[in-house]
Amino acid sequence: MKSKTSFPPQEGAAPPSRCPDNSAFKQQKLPAWKPQLTFASVLSSFFLTGAFCLIMGVCLVLSANSVREIQIDYSDKCSDCSKLRENSSNWNKECHCSVNFTLKEDILGDVFMYYGLQNFYQNHRRYVMSRSDAQLLGRNVNIQRSRCAPFSTYRNGTPMAPCGAIANSMFNDTIDLFYNRNSSVIQVPLLKTGNSWWTDKNVKFRNPESYNLSSAFAGTARPPYWQKPVYLLDEEDERNNGYVNDDFIIWMRVSAFATFKNLYRRVRRIRHFAEGLPAGNYTFRISYNFPVARFKGRKHVILSTVVWSGGSNPFLGIAYLVSGTAAILTGFVITGIHLKLRKKKTYFQRQ
C-alpha cells in the first residue's frame, strides 16, 4: 500500500481561497424584504407615533389625577416616641401616639394603606447584598459564609434568622385606623395578607420544614433591632408567619430611591366600609418602633386608591406627552426641510 505524501506548496502558487461557498445563504442571496422609505411613509410614521403617544399620555395623566390619596406625616406628631426610640436601651418599652385627620369626601372603591419613608437609602451596594437567599428559602446553610455580616451571628455563635442588614432594619411600626362615627369609635378592618407578589410568597420565600414553626427556628435568634423572633411576626395567622410574612417580604424588596412607599394594609370592605372609606373624622394609632431622627428621615402614612394605570404617579403620562410632542415636532421639521429642498430642486430644473 502506498502512503500519501503531502508536498509543500510551490513558490508562486495561489493561496487557498477564503471565499465562502457559492450558496444562497453564505452569499446573502436569500429573499428579503427591504422597506422603501419615502417622504409619505416616514412622515406618517412620525405623526402616527406622536398622536398615539399624546392620546396615551392624556389618558394616563387623567387616570393618575383621578386617584384619591391622602398623606399624613407623623414624624413630628410622634416626637416623644421618636426621642424614646433614639436610645437603644429602650427597645423593650412601648410607645404609642395618635394622629387625627378628616376626610372631607368619601373614598370609594378599594383603599390601600402605605407607609412611606424619606431619606432612607436602600440602594447602597453593601446593604442590598446583605442577605442570604438560601436561608430565606428555608435551607440549612452556613450563615458565616454568607454576605450577611455583620448581622450574621452573635458573639456566642448563635445565627440570626433572618440575617443581613435588610432584614435587621425592617420597618416595624404598627398602624391601626379608627373611624370616629358620632360618639362611637369603630376600628377599620384591615387586611394584612395578599399584599405581596405571588412569586415572592410562593417561590422566593420558604419556612424551614418542621412540625411547627418554633421548632423550625430552634437554635436561631432574632436580629438585634427586632422586638420578637421571626416565627412570631403574625401570631394570629400561621400562614403569614416566619419568612412568608407579607410585611417582611415587602420590606425585603428594596427600593431604588431614598424616598419610597411600601404597601402595608388594605381596607376590608365590610359593614360601614363596604363602599370604601366614608367621609368623617379618623385617627391613626401608631405603635412607634422605627426611629428615623438620626438619619434625618421622615415617616408618613398614605391612604390611596388605584386605577387601571396604577397609583397617583403622573410620570408615565408626562413621558408619553413629551415623546408625542417631540415626534410631532420632528414631523413638522422634516416636512419643512422636504418642502424647502423640493423648491430648490424645482428652481434648478427650471434653470
Side-chain angles (χ1 to χ4, degrees), residues 4-16:
K4 295 181 180 180
T5 306
S6 60
F7 298 95
Q10 298 179 358
E11 294 183 2

Side-chain angles (χ1 to χ4, degrees), residues 142-335:
N142 187 356
I143 301 300
Q144 294 182 348
R145 295 183 179 179
S146 67
R147 297 177 177 177
C148 291
F151 301 103
S152 55
T153 60
Y154 286 93
R155 293 181 179 179
N156 59 2
T158 305
M160 299 180 189
C163 70
I166 307 176
N168 183 58
S169 61
M170 176 182 169
F171 182 86
N172 57 351
D173 282 0
T174 302
I175 307 171
D176 295 317
L177 180 60
F178 292 87
Y179 174 44
N180 305 316
R181 187 189 181 193
N182 299 328
S183 59
S184 60
V185 178
I186 304 172
Q187 183 171 5
V188 180
L190 301 174
L191 297 172
K192 54 185 175 181
T193 58
N195 300 324
S196 60
W197 291 15
W198 186 91
T199 51
D200 289 347
K201 185 82 171 182
N202 298 276
V203 178
K204 295 184 178 181
F205 292 82
R206 285 280 189 275
N207 284 325
E209 295 183 359
S210 183
Y211 62 91
N212 62 38
L213 208 55
S214 59
S215 63
F217 290 98
T220 64
R222 59 175 177 80
Y225 292 171
W226 285 28
Q227 295 180 328
K228 51 187 176 181
V230 65
Y231 56 86
L232 294 179
L233 289 179
D234 189 352
E235 302 180 42
E236 299 176 358
D237 189 355
E238 186 74 15
R239 296 171 299 178
N240 189 42
N241 218 340
Y243 293 151
V244 295
N245 177 264
D246 273 39
D247 293 337
F248 174 71
I249 292 175
I250 291 173
W251 178 259
M252 293 300 292
R253 183 175 287 277
V254 297
S255 173
F257 301 99
T259 299
F260 61 92
K261 65 179 182 180
N262 286 336
L263 181 59
Y264 183 67
R265 296 289 184 267
R266 291 177 293 128
V267 175
R268 187 179 181 185
R269 298 175 63 177
I270 58 174
R271 297 191 295 274
H272 304 289
F273 313 99
E275 302 297 328
L277 290 180
N281 298 321
Y282 288 84
T283 301
F284 281 124
R285 293 184 183 175
I286 302 166
S287 176
Y288 198 105
N289 300 308
F290 194 88
V292 295
R294 287 196 174 183
F295 55 87
K296 299 180 181 179
R298 309 288 297 181
K299 294 192 294 185
H300 45 268
V301 188
I302 303 167
L303 294 175
S304 175
T305 59
V306 295
V307 290
W308 63 272
S309 60
S312 62
N313 189 354
F315 173 78
L316 186 59
I318 295 174
Y320 267 102
L321 290 175
V322 172
S323 301
T325 304
I328 290 179
L329 289 178
T330 304
F332 281 117
V333 171
I334 293 176
T335 303

